[in-house]
Structures are given as structure tokens and as C-alpha cells.
Amino acid sequence: MIIAERKPLEDIKQMIAQYKKILLVGCGTCVTVCWAGGEKEVGILASQLRLAFRRDGGELETLEATVERQCEKEMVEELKDKIQQVEAVLSLGCGAGVQTIADRFEETPVYPALNTKFVGMPEREGLWIENCGACGDCFLDRTGGICPIVRCAKGLLNGPCGGTNKGKCEVDPEKDCAWTLIYRRLEKQGRLDLMRKYYPPRNFQAVVRPGKIEAQRV
Amino acid sequence: MTTGVEFLPCIVAFCCVHSAYQAADAAGRMRIPYPENIIMVHIPCAGRVDTLHILRAFENGADGVVILACHEGACHHILGNIRAKERVERANALLREIGVDGRRVEMRTCAPNDGSRFARVCHELEEKIKELGPSPLRKHA
């Protein structure tokens, strides 16, 4: 899923300083799960902003809404009535959510309250780890399901490098060496022969920005 | 003739029904006085208190907020008081971000039969909030 985190309050305050009434929009999917932009976070940020404005001698009126998926234009349609009542929208969705609302309601300024960070998975409650770089040329068949492109600090296709140290990475000793993990995984699967193969540089044209995929109807 | 009006802080106390709420009753039965400006909110467990409840209390004019929970290890719902503690820390961080002293929110524990501790905690809180002065988050007149 997409992992995001809230921007510093000061940045958010600066973005909306000129407005008196805004709509905060959460998203019920990825950012709800990573505690960044769900219904609860919308409530907390709205309250925090109202208090912050009051602290500075001003007043801010807020409306709140959370849609199931902010990245789908049909789902942001339900915001129509509320958006008509406000001067601006503060989105607690990922970058795709912000742009979906901005595209649908072009006359209303839409601001991001979150920084969209990476595609990741929960390691434990409250901790998310990046494990996919969305590179468009998946390499996981050769590495026992562990991505060296994002989990190796150097993104090596032919690892480990000389900096691996007792299973940890020389760049950050707190982090596991992805290629040691790959070795252990392939060893369990009896596929260590894959470690002896040389992989040429990957195809950097696999995803040309902006990415676009059109599925064939079935 | 005095011109100043004594500051009487408004303190919202979220009281767990299994401990602090009963302790308040115990204090009453024992005729132990505690400040009348403590607004008690009856909750089924300290774990019911959300960060948003704490912020809303400040929006509605509180000068301080306290969560009065069961002692650690004595929560009837096992982890309610531990969760409440985490939420108090979060609320503190959110208030600091606004520029408000995080000491305005705190968590205390007490046993259901300890009326004197309940009263003592309330007096301590009142003194502390008096020292901090009125909340800068109160709605401007």
C-alpha cells in the first residue's frame, strides 16, 4: 500500500493561512491504514488547526469528509456539496488523491496535508517499511521475493557488496543487508544457483513518466 | 480594594468508572473536599479516551485535561490505561506543535477506594494549572 506521513503543522498552516473556511478530506484506504489520513486523522488535524488559528488570534471554520478512495473520481464526486461551501480543500490523501480532487473541482484550490513517501508494508503496529520501488521491471523472481532495488541501500542487482557485515548494511548498521536476506531465502528454497548468475543493468525505460497502463477489456 | 479576579481553572477529568469515578465517590463519602472546578467525565475505561476528545476539551474552554485511570496492571480491560497513556503523549505532542505547554494534559492513576488520593491529585492539578495560567486556546471574547 501507499505510505504517507503528515506534513509539519507549520507547513500546513502556511498553506491555508489566507482562508477562513476549509474542507479537510481524508481517504479510507492506504493512508487510513498507515495512520496518516483516515477519518480519525482528519478529525485530529481539523481540531489542531482550529486551535492553532485561535492561538494566533484568528478563527478557522472546518468541514470534514472522508471518502472511500480519494484516487477515484467517482468517489470524490460526493464532496461536491461540501466543496461549494468552502474556500479551499486540504487533502489527507496521497498525491493521487490530491490530484483527483484538484482535477474534478478545478476552481477550488486543493492543498496536500501529507507527504506521500513510498509503497510499503507494515512491519509491526505503527512501523511501515518500503519494500517496492514501483520500478516497472519486477526482479523478485530471481531474489526469493525480496526486492534489492529498494531494500539494498545501493540498489544492487548483483550483491552483496563488500560492505555487508554480519547480515547488516554498511550504509546503516541498523538495517538488514538485503542480499544476505536474499541468500538465506534462496538457500531455504534450494535455489542458490541464482546467486551465481550475473544480471545486466535493468531496463530504466520500463516506466516512462508519467506512467500509463491501459488494460484490455475481457 | 482588589481589582484582579482570581483565576479559577477549568479542568476536565476523564474518570475511569472502575477507579477514579469510584474514588471520587469515596472522597465524597469520606467528606474529603476537592476543587469544584474539576469537570468529571464518566468513561467506561481510560482506553475510551481518544486524542480528539482531549483536543476538543481545549476547544471548548478547558485550561487543563487529566485522564484518571486504574493503576498500571489493574486495568479491567487489560490495556486501556496503557493506551490512554500513549494518547496523552500524542495529545501533548500535538499541543506542543501549536505552541501550547504540553503539561496541560496529563494522566494519573488511582485505586477505586482511594478517595484521599483522588482529592490530592485534583488539588495538585488545580495548583499546576493555576501556575500555568489560563489556556491560550480559549475562545477570544
Side-chain angles (χ1 to χ4, degrees):
Chain A
M1 65 182 168
I2 292 166
I3 310 297
E5 67 177 359
R6 211 201 68 189
K7 284 177 178 287
L9 187 72
E10 208 47 47
D11 294 0
I12 299 174
K13 267 171 65 186
Q14 273 179 18
M15 285 191 280
I16 58 161
Q18 57 190 305
Y19 303 114
K20 297 266 181 245
K21 190 174 182 183
I22 63 163
L23 169 68
L24 287 91
V25 185
C27 176
T29 314
C30 310
V31 292
T32 291
V33 182
C34 70
W35 305 358
E39 194 174 353
K40 187 174 253 188
E41 288 73 27
V42 166
I44 289 173
L45 180 60
S47 177
Q48 206 191 6
L49 283 170
R50 288 192 298 267
L51 288 171
F53 270 60
R54 195 183 288 174
R55 172 91 171 83
D56 298 341
E59 203 68 39
L60 178 73
E61 203 180 328
T62 57
L63 296 183
E64 298 170 24
T66 300
V67 293
E68 187 62 35
R69 282 196 294 279
Q70 218 181 92
C71 56
E72 295 205 22
K73 58 183 177 186
E74 291 83 359
M75 291 190 178
V76 301
E77 193 62 37
E78 67 186 71
L79 299 171
K80 193 176 173 183
D81 291 343
K82 283 186 173 168
I83 286 183
Q84 280 169 353
Q85 301 171 46
V86 297
E87 297 165 83
V89 173
L90 185 61
S91 162
L92 282 87
C94 68
V98 175
Q99 293 184 66
T100 307
I101 300 176
D103 283 349
R104 169 61 190 85
F105 303 99
E106 283 186 314
E107 285 163 16
T108 308
V110 183
Y111 297 95
L114 306 184
N115 287 324
T116 307
K117 305 297 271 193
F118 52 79
V119 178
M121 62 177 184
E123 176 86 359
R124 58 169 165 78
E125 195 186 43
L127 176 68
W128 295 272
I129 304 285
E130 183 177 16
N131 61 0
C132 174
C135 68
D137 185 18
C138 197
F139 196 70
L140 292 169
D141 56 315
R142 285 150 277 184
T143 55
I146 295 166
C147 179
I149 293 156
V150 288
R151 293 176 69 177
C152 165
K154 299 173 186 178
L156 296 178
L157 295 190
N158 298 283
C161 68
T164 182
N165 184 11
K166 293 178 183 153
K168 296 293 176 188
C169 174
E170 69 169 350
V171 173
D172 181 354
E174 295 286 308
K175 286 184 181 157
D176 290 325
C177 165
W179 275 100
T180 303
L181 296 177
I182 292 168
Y183 182 91
R184 301 279 178 233
R185 178 76 55 84
L186 292 175
E187 189 180 33
K188 276 185 197 163
Q189 297 176 358
R191 298 163 72 206
L192 275 177
D193 55 304
L194 289 170
M195 290 293 292
R196 293 190 191 91
K197 280 193 181 165
Y198 165 73
Y199 298 107
R202 62 198 177 91
N203 177 14
F204 285 95
Q205 287 185 323
V207 175
V208 178
R209 304 288 175 197
K212 185 178 178 184
I213 293 173
E214 188 164 6
Q216 232 176 357
R217 289 192 178 276
V218 286
Chain B
M1 184 181 149
T2 53
T3 51
V5 179
E6 196 198 354
F7 165 53
L8 197 64
C10 168
I11 299 170
V12 174
F14 292 100
C15 297
C16 166
V17 71
H18 297 290
S19 54
Y21 208 78
Q22 292 184 35
D25 268 350
R29 283 197 302 274
M30 293 157 76
R31 304 283 186 270
I32 304 171
Y34 57 86
E36 75 270 26
N37 47 320
I38 302 269
I39 298 172
M40 288 175 54
V41 182
H42 173 281
I43 45 168
C45 172
R48 177 66 188 88
V49 179
D50 192 77
T51 311
L52 188 55
H53 295 139
I54 299 172
L55 295 180
R56 286 267 165 86
F58 283 104
E59 279 195 69
N60 289 310
D63 295 299
V65 173
V66 62
I67 296 175
L68 286 160
C70 301
H71 288 305
E72 216 161 294
C75 174
H76 284 242
H77 301 282
I78 305 173
L79 288 174
N81 48 4
I82 307 290
R83 293 201 169 112
K85 198 175 169 185
E86 289 170 359
R87 287 166 196 158
V88 164
E89 284 166 13
R90 171 109 196 268
N92 273 336
L94 293 170
L95 288 173
R96 279 197 302 273
E97 218 176 2
I98 302 172
V100 173
D101 197 319
R103 287 177 298 168
R104 287 186 185 275
V105 186
E106 72 170 274
M107 180 167 149
R108 294 289 193 94
T109 57
C110 96
N113 57 354
D114 202 347
S116 58
R117 180 179 162 83
F118 175 84
R120 195 170 63 246
V121 164
C122 289
H123 283 295
E124 285 170 13
L125 290 167
E126 192 195 29
E127 282 313 304
K128 190 181 76 170
I129 301 297
K130 271 184 176 173
E131 261 177 50
L132 291 171
S135 165
L137 303 174
R138 276 190 178 191
K139 205 164 187 169
H140 298 288

